[in-house]
Amino acid sequence: MAPMKTFLQVSLVVVLAAARLAMAASAPAVGSKAPEFSAQSTAGPLSLVDLRGNWVVLYFYPKSFTPGCTAEAGSLRDGIEGLRNLRATVVGVSTDDLATQREFKEKLSLPFELIADPDQKVVELYGVKGWLGMAKRRTFIIDPEGTLRAVIDDVDTRKHAEQVQDLLKQLQPAPTPQGSS
């Protein structure tokens, strides 16, 4: 009986270690080209290349309608004018299906698109696959040329728009005064 119990314990440890390794896909490095993707969004097909020319705030969140994800989306909604003034396009991604994403967008009156990633392709490209296949909460800031410029790991869900705006102001070149050469 004891050898069987030991075998099961070791097997469980091996399975859990393999699961951790599978979830630990690395995120793209700051300074590298952001991984290209095409996925279904609340506005139809959406590709990263479609967003070139603008700063992109690509935020991943675990699950629509949960308290933290609702607070984060609400913060970005409420701060959208400031983000747009910084030439940023916000796009949210979770592993929820498209119907759920549409309902979440409508219920919260979100002025930005949400990507449905139930097959976890975008989540895996960005190394944010978490427990039970949900996305980890992480935000990627991508410049107008498609280069990953920053990653926010420590997301404050209630003040996320402020976090992103502060970072965009640091990353963007200061405007040159009119009349200077």
Side-chain angles (χ1 to χ4, degrees):
M1 185 80 166
M4 181 57 127
K5 184 177 179 183
T6 303
F7 172 76
L8 291 174
Q9 289 171 333
V10 169
S11 296
L12 180 59
V13 168
V14 169
V15 167
L16 290 174
R20 280 196 194 111
L21 283 174
M23 291 187 322
S26 62
V30 170
S32 67
K33 280 292 184 193
E36 295 290 341
F37 63 82
S38 289
Q40 284 299 314
S41 78
T42 48
L46 180 68
S47 298
L48 184 60
V49 73
D50 297 336
L51 305 173
R52 286 285 189 280
N54 289 311
W55 288 81
V56 176
V57 177
L58 186 65
Y59 85 98
F60 290 84
Y61 60 98
K63 189 119 182 91
S64 295
F65 296 107
T66 58
C69 298
T70 300
E72 182 179 17
S75 172
L76 292 166
R77 175 201 59 217
D78 296 347
I80 197 67
E81 287 308 313
L83 293 166
R84 286 180 177 155
N85 288 339
L86 293 166
R87 302 181 336 267
T89 299
V90 175
V91 178
V93 182
S94 80
T95 58
D96 290 307
D97 62 30
L98 190 55
T100 302
Q101 295 293 62
R102 286 182 174 140
E103 184 181 347
F104 190 55
K105 178 181 169 139
E106 182 180 332
K107 183 169 183 180
L108 294 179
S109 301
L110 300 178
F112 48 82
E113 302 311 325
L114 301 176
I115 289 175
D117 191 29
D119 58 5
Q120 304 166 14
K121 289 181 180 176
V122 181
V123 164
E124 288 177 4
L125 276 175
Y126 281 82
V128 295
K129 187 173 181 180
W131 188 249
L132 301 176
M134 290 187 284
K136 295 178 187 174
R137 190 179 312 283
R138 190 169 294 154
T139 299
F140 295 85
I141 307 294
I142 303 165
D143 74 14
E145 290 76 43
T147 301
L148 180 59
R149 296 292 303 278
V151 178
I152 302 173
D153 286 315
D154 188 18
V155 172
D156 181 338
T157 59
R158 298 199 185 284
K159 296 181 180 181
H160 197 42
E162 292 173 41
Q163 285 180 299
V164 172
Q165 285 179 27
D166 291 346
L167 196 49
L168 283 168
K169 288 174 186 173
Q170 292 172 25
L171 293 169
Q172 293 180 0
T176 51
Q178 287 186 335
S180 55
S181 345

